[in-house]
Amino acid sequence: MKQTVRVFWKIFFIGFAAFALLLLMIYMGVFGKLPSLSELENPTILQATEVYAADGTLMGKYFRDRGNRSNVDFRDISKHAINALVATEDERFYDHSGIDGKGVIRAVAFLGSKGGGSTITQQLALNMFSERARNPITRVIQKLKEWIIAIKLERNFTKQEILALYLNVVPFSDNMYGIRNASLTFFSKEPDRLNIEESAVLIGMVNGPTIFNPRRNPKSALMRRNHVITKMGENSFITEEEASKIKLKPIVLNYKRMDENTGLAPYFREVLRDDIKQWCKNNTNPATGDPYDIYKDGLRIYTTINPRMQIYAEEAVAKHMPVLQKALNAQNSIKKGKVWEGRNGILETAMKNTDRWKNGQEDGMTDAELRASFKQKVPMKVFAWNSRRQKDTVMTPMDSIKYHRQMLQTSFMVMDPVTGEVKAWVGGIDFKTYKFDHVNLNTKRQVGSAIKPFLYCQAIEEAGFTPETPVENVVQNFPGFGLVPAKGECKGNTVSMASALTYSMNCATAYIMKQIGPKRFVEFLNNINIKSKMDPYPSISLGAVDLSMFEMLYGYTMFANHGFSTKPTYITRIEDRNGNVLESFQTKMNQVISESSAYTTTKMLGGPVEIGTAAGLRARLGAAEMAGKTGTTNDNADAWFIGFTPQLLGGTWIGADDRFIRLESGLGYGGQAARPIWETFFQKVYADKTLGIDKDARFAQPEQMREEALYDYMNIIDQTPPPGAEGEDQGNGAADQYMMEPDTNNVPVDSELDEEEQKVLKEANQKKDEKKNGKNPTTPPQEEKKKGLLRKIFGGKKDKEKDNEY
């Protein structure tokens, strides 16, 4: 044997041995641990948590960066996508065992100019690495790792499973990962419904997600799509005739990018995100031993949201809010900017919280320079009530702050009062611009007369009141607090309790509050699961207390649910990425009032929607029975309407985030500002027969009341709204207003004051005038004695038994 031949074989065997040793060292983990069989079976690929509606509709996802993935099984992927992938990326996929020898030789011989040597299985193996190695030496090591992993994949998975795994992890355009995300984003359809040309478009992106993006580079994408179709024809997945016809078609997209700002119920999903994060902290993933991660563990959250109702709720908001905004913008206080006079502190804080201010500080700008920049007009996009919810304009950044803060906001929530399932949730007018949610427990606004049904119900439940019980419609004096209500006209007559609730009479309500007592009322509210901190002021009977929409509806459930308070719930179950149920959620309810009290209050609440503050609502909707209550706060800062049928309970609120921005016209009270959203929603729901909401449904009468002589409450209600009923500028005052001195200008006309009482009254009036004029008031002597006389004056003449109550 010649020397050169011996040298050749020596080098060959040494090289072969070195290569084998290198492979063994890689396999042993010398250059980094290889994934185990269990890891190959359950690859630790970042996977987004998905949120589903009640009917299985995908509402949205929680993900970060490369975590936007959604896995699908092979059977849920179109055969055209599978064929396009094999034809384009790995023609001999079904013939090799992970490594294609011919492909490797071709890649080496032509230096990759006629295609690479990586198989689909190798590409899948590469995706298991966090990133592609850049250094030539480490890239060789990584390539060998790919080969080993590819062989292990081929030995432990079927060809179909490998194809599904690959299509679940491969990146597409616009930072989309996985064919399901890409299919939903570019064509708004599940991947099993993709046709040939759509499949070719998506598979064409695999080699160059940016270059072949059909939205940004349509010409390049079309050429790439046609190349894929050609390869499908060459490999007999379609005929040459089919290929020729398809290549003549344009690319037709139905692009809908799903992110936190889009998709169904974005406000709801953001509230849900916080709940799921907390759940993750309290629950451990058995696969890792660590708490679940909402952004990478691929959880599936199933909710109670009804997609059709959610859409109807958003449409109702979009229909009515522009009308109110137009009315607000027409007010002189808004047009001429008077509303911002004396509000420099608010504007200063808002300015410093902007990204523009923070970025300017990072760039080294002084405060004076930054303030000056906020007065210079610049092009910008601002929120607008149009189809895009934005418009291009030119204005100063300071004017932009004012413009956006002058937008009226809303909250609207709908639930089943019996099961507690939340059906629709709208937390504001536009999530992209306004992230603050106005529904959840942490967002509270003054509720106005919407709180009155609770007081009236307590009077029925604990004090033996009935709808026909006469109540005094006169200003009430609460010793230590003063007169309630503090303003507003009262007729001074006696009315039925049903009339008082129908027309939302503040004076009559104060009379009922006097019989119940503020402390007992707060205890009652806590008992029906309204847990916000409330001081026992008489004013809370008129709604001078901040509560959330969520807890208000929680409280109202007892009326439609036969005395049972039902907690609003919006999660049914949580599953892991493999469909295993991790936790199920049940309805929580407890009985807080009797069934008869609930039914009686419900029937009384039919008054407002018949002839009261929401007159004609039931008739316009054509419902057999309906109940509801409006609410309006001082100067129309807040407008509420909460209404329910036997099957649905809904509440809506209208107001600006800054309470000094408010509607000055008659549109500002609850019956006009808030009620239309509720009404529009129910019009749509009743018209959609697939929802099963029955117009003819009636509130179930309790068995124990069947034999009683029940009143037609409409017959005991005055047909003419009296002065003092809720309406324009008929608010409820502020909670602390009732901690001030009594209003000495409202002495009962039948009071007969002796000389000493007249003297005390004169001094009290003098003290009040001095305060009003900014002077330090004098302190009359014998203060305690005079306070007692003032109480006597404003309480009128009482017998000793009544005096003892005070």
Side-chain angles (χ1 to χ4, degrees):
M1 185 178 294
K2 291 183 179 181
Q3 181 69 21
T4 54
V5 175
R6 285 198 299 270
V7 171
F8 169 79
W9 285 110
K10 187 175 182 180
I11 293 172
F12 174 81
F13 283 115
I14 291 175
F16 181 82
F19 182 71
L21 179 63
L22 178 62
L23 289 176
L24 180 63
M25 293 172 68
I26 292 172
Y27 186 81
M28 298 294 292
V30 173
F31 298 100
K33 184 181 177 182
L34 291 174
S36 64
L37 181 60
S38 61
E39 289 174 315
L40 291 175
E41 291 173 341
N42 299 285
T44 56
I45 297 165
L46 298 183
Q47 190 171 331
T49 288
E50 298 178 336
V51 179
Y52 292 93
D55 66 350
T57 299
L58 179 64
M59 296 174 62
K61 304 176 184 181
Y62 305 128
F63 60 89
R64 282 179 180 161
D65 300 327
R66 290 169 59 91
N68 185 12
R69 307 175 193 268
S70 300
N71 288 353
V72 287
D73 295 330
F74 179 84
R75 64 176 179 271
D76 296 321
I77 303 173
S78 168
K79 68 175 182 178
H80 303 303
I82 297 294
N83 293 339
L85 176 65
V86 172
T88 309
E89 295 296 318
D90 192 352
E91 295 175 343
R92 287 179 291 278
F93 174 73
Y94 293 108
D95 300 323
H96 63 67
S97 298
I99 301 173
D100 182 9
K102 291 182 180 179
V104 172
I105 294 171
R106 181 191 64 215
V108 172
F110 295 96
L111 300 177
S113 62
K114 294 191 177 183
S118 291
T119 64
I120 289 174
T121 316
Q122 286 176 255
Q123 292 178 46
L124 173 60
L126 177 61
N127 273 285
M128 291 184 170
F129 296 100
S130 58
E131 61 180 12
R132 183 187 180 97
R134 301 297 180 187
N135 184 285
I137 296 176
T138 55
R139 178 63 189 128
V140 170
I141 299 296
Q142 190 179 66
K143 192 68 173 179
L144 294 176
K145 286 183 178 181
E146 288 176 26
W147 287 4
I148 295 172
I149 295 171
I151 293 171
K152 292 177 73 174
L153 285 168
E154 290 279 351
R155 288 181 177 178
N156 291 282
F157 292 91
T158 66
K159 290 289 186 178
Q160 290 183 346
E161 289 171 333
I162 290 171
L163 288 169
L165 278 171
Y166 177 85
L167 286 173
N168 280 328
V169 303
V170 70
F172 291 85
S173 299
D174 291 349
N175 200 31
M176 292 289 113
Y177 290 84
I179 192 167
R180 183 164 186 251
N181 280 352
S183 180
L184 289 170
T185 299
F186 286 96
F187 299 108
S188 297
K189 59 173 64 176
E190 292 289 345
D192 62 338
R193 300 178 183 177
L194 293 169
N195 59 30
I196 295 173
E197 55 266 33
E198 291 166 345
S199 299
V201 170
L202 295 184
I203 298 304
M205 297 181 200
V206 171
N207 261 341
T210 302
I211 298 173
F212 303 124
N213 185 327
R215 193 170 60 89
R216 297 184 177 183
N217 302 306
K219 289 185 179 179
S220 298
L222 181 62
M223 292 176 62
R224 179 64 180 172
R225 184 205 68 174
N226 289 347
H227 170 73
V228 173
I229 291 171
T230 297
K231 296 292 289 184
M232 291 178 73
E234 291 175 356
N235 286 275
S236 301
F237 289 118
I238 56 176
T239 66
E240 294 293 339
E241 184 180 357
E242 282 181 299
S244 298
K245 288 182 179 179
I246 293 172
K247 285 191 285 187
L248 295 175
K249 296 181 179 180
I251 294 177
V252 180
L253 300 178
N254 187 7
Y255 190 86
K256 291 182 181 178
R257 179 71 181 271
M258 185 174 289
D259 57 25
E260 65 172 14
N261 296 320
T262 60
L264 206 59
Y267 283 100
F268 167 78
R269 297 200 318 265
E270 198 60 25
V271 172
L272 181 66
R273 184 201 300 263
D274 292 336
D275 290 348
I276 299 304
K277 279 184 177 180
Q278 188 59 48
W279 183 91
C280 287
K281 287 181 181 179
N282 299 330
N283 291 270
T284 301
N285 185 342
T288 63
D290 298 322
Y292 281 100
D293 191 317
I294 188 175
Y295 298 114
K296 69 179 184 180
D297 284 339
L299 300 174
R300 300 175 187 173
I301 315 300
Y302 291 88
T303 74
T304 63
I305 296 295
N306 183 296
R308 299 180 77 85
M309 289 190 187
Q310 179 65 35
I311 291 171
Y312 294 153
E314 292 176 2
E315 287 176 347
V317 166
K319 177 181 179 181
H320 184 58
M321 290 305 294
V323 176
L324 292 180
Q325 191 63 49
K326 185 177 181 180
L328 180 72
N329 292 343
Q331 294 174 183
N332 281 332
S333 61
I334 300 297
K335 284 197 300 184
K336 297 181 179 179
K338 293 180 180 179
V339 72
W340 293 107
E341 292 177 0
R343 316 281 183 185
N344 291 334
I346 294 174
L347 295 174
E348 178 83 1
T349 300
M351 178 178 64
K352 291 183 177 179
N353 284 331
T354 62
D355 290 337
R356 181 184 295 271
W357 181 276
K358 294 172 184 175
N359 293 336
Q361 285 185 320
E362 291 176 1
D363 293 339
M365 294 177 67
T366 65
D367 284 3
E369 291 172 333
L370 282 167
R371 285 193 175 88
S373 72
F374 272 77
K375 297 177 182 179
Q376 298 172 356
K377 290 186 176 183
V378 293
M380 63 176 67
K381 294 181 184 296
V382 298
F383 171 81
W385 277 114
N386 56 30
S387 59
R388 297 185 300 116
R389 294 293 186 269
Q390 69 176 23
K391 67 178 181 181
D392 295 310
T393 188
V394 176
M395 63 171 64
T396 70
M398 180 55 72
D399 285 339
S400 172
I401 291 173
K402 295 176 182 178
Y403 173 86
H404 283 103
R405 293 182 80 98
Q406 286 165 188
M407 285 291 167
L408 288 171
Q409 294 293 333
T410 188
S411 64
F412 185 34
M413 174 177 156
V414 181
M415 63 178 289
D416 184 321
V418 178
T419 66
E421 294 179 351
V422 175
K423 301 296 185 181
W425 181 305
V426 181
I429 57 174
D430 180 61
F431 184 77
K432 183 178 181 180
T433 307
Y434 301 96
K435 294 291 192 284
F436 188 72
D437 182 89
H438 295 84
V439 171
N440 72 55
L441 275 168
N442 299 321
T443 307
K444 305 174 192 287
R445 290 291 292 234
Q446 205 173 91
V447 296
S449 296
I451 203 173
K452 290 177 182 177
F454 301 137
L455 177 67
Y456 284 61
C457 179
Q458 185 179 12
I460 294 170
E461 176 79 359
E462 298 179 4
F465 279 50
T466 65
E468 66 272 15
T469 296
V471 295
E472 297 177 9
N473 187 32
V474 295
V475 175
Q476 301 295 312
N477 177 57
F478 287 80
F481 297 98
L483 302 180
V484 180
K487 71 172 185 175
E489 181 186 354
C490 296
K491 193 172 182 180
N493 61 337
T494 298
V495 298
S496 68
M497 187 167 76
S499 290
L501 186 58
T502 294
Y503 297 116
S504 200
M505 300 181 192
N506 283 346
C507 294
T509 301
Y511 171 83
I512 297 173
M513 181 61 154
K514 201 164 189 178
Q515 317 312 308
I516 297 297
K519 184 177 180 181
R520 284 174 62 194
F521 184 46
V522 169
E523 291 170 352
F524 180 77
L525 292 174
N526 289 334
N527 186 54
I528 63 173
N529 296 302
I530 296 178
K531 303 294 187 180
S532 289
K533 185 181 183 304
M534 291 170 281
D535 294 318
Y537 298 152
S539 58
I540 62 174
S541 65
L542 307 183
V545 61
D546 285 5
L547 300 173
S548 68
M549 176 64 74
F550 188 93
E551 59 189 331
M552 283 295 286
L553 292 193
Y554 196 169
Y556 267 72
T557 58
M558 67 181 180
F559 300 133
N561 195 22
H562 318 292
F564 284 84
S565 177
T566 310
K567 184 177 182 179
T569 181
Y570 41 79
I571 307 174
T572 56
R573 69 184 186 278
I574 300 175
E575 295 180 357
D576 65 14
R577 67 172 66 186
N578 298 314
N580 300 309
V581 178
L582 301 177
E583 187 169 350
S584 296
F585 299 84
Q586 305 299 322
T587 299
K588 295 180 180 179
M589 66 171 68
N590 62 299
Q591 188 165 11
V592 292
I593 56 173
S594 67
E595 188 177 7
S596 59
S597 295
Y599 181 76
T600 301
T601 307
T602 296
K603 295 294 285 185
M604 281 203 305
L605 285 170
V609 298
E610 286 285 351
I611 58 176
T613 52
L617 176 61
R618 184 203 61 78
R620 288 193 299 274
L621 291 173
E625 282 195 295
M626 184 177 288
K629 185 71 189 75
T630 56
T632 311
T633 63
N634 272 17
D635 300 317
N636 300 335
D638 302 272
W640 293 73
F641 181 74
I642 300 178
F644 58 96
T645 68
Q647 294 171 286
L648 286 180
L649 164 65
T652 185
W653 162 87
I654 303 290
D657 285 333
D658 292 306
R659 301 190 192 201
F660 55 84
I661 298 173
R662 49 187 175 257
L663 286 162
E664 298 167 359
S665 66
L667 284 174
Y669 75 95
Q672 289 298 321
R675 183 268 311 157
I677 290 177
W678 195 97
E679 182 172 345
T680 299
F681 170 81
F682 269 79
Q683 284 175 343
K684 293 175 179 289
V685 167
Y686 280 141
D688 189 342
K689 302 304 179 184
T690 65
L691 295 174
I693 304 301
D694 186 6
K695 277 187 179 183
D696 298 324
R698 292 183 175 273
F699 298 110
Q701 183 177 331
E703 190 66 35
Q704 68 270 22
M705 298 179 70
R706 295 280 167 87
E707 297 179 1
E708 296 180 11
L710 294 176
Y711 289 90
D712 179 355
Y713 297 151
M714 292 301 104
N715 291 332
I716 60 173
I717 297 174
D718 296 330
Q719 299 299 303
T720 303
E726 182 189 343
E728 183 179 357
D729 201 31
Q730 289 292 326
N732 52 7
D736 59 1
Q737 187 171 349
Y738 302 101
M739 295 299 289
M740 299 178 183
E741 295 170 287
D743 185 354
T744 52
N745 293 324
N746 286 299
V747 182
V749 294
D750 61 344
S751 296
E752 297 178 5
L753 308 182
D754 59 27
E755 185 176 347
E756 184 178 8
E757 288 171 344
Q758 289 176 355
K759 182 179 178 182
V760 170
L761 180 60
K762 183 178 179 180
E763 290 179 351
N765 278 324
Q766 181 182 355
K767 181 178 179 182
K768 179 181 175 183
D769 291 337
E770 288 174 341
K771 280 187 176 181
K772 184 176 181 180
N773 295 326
K775 298 178 180 179
N776 293 323
T778 57
T779 304
Q782 299 178 319
E783 189 67 23
E784 289 303 316
K785 180 180 178 181
K786 293 187 177 184
K787 283 183 179 179
L789 286 171
L790 283 171
R791 291 192 187 101
K792 179 181 176 182
I793 292 170
F794 297 117
K797 289 191 174 181
K798 305 179 183 67
D799 55 28
K800 290 183 179 179
E801 189 173 339
K802 284 287 183 182
D803 283 335
N804 288 336
E805 292 180 13
Y806 291 92

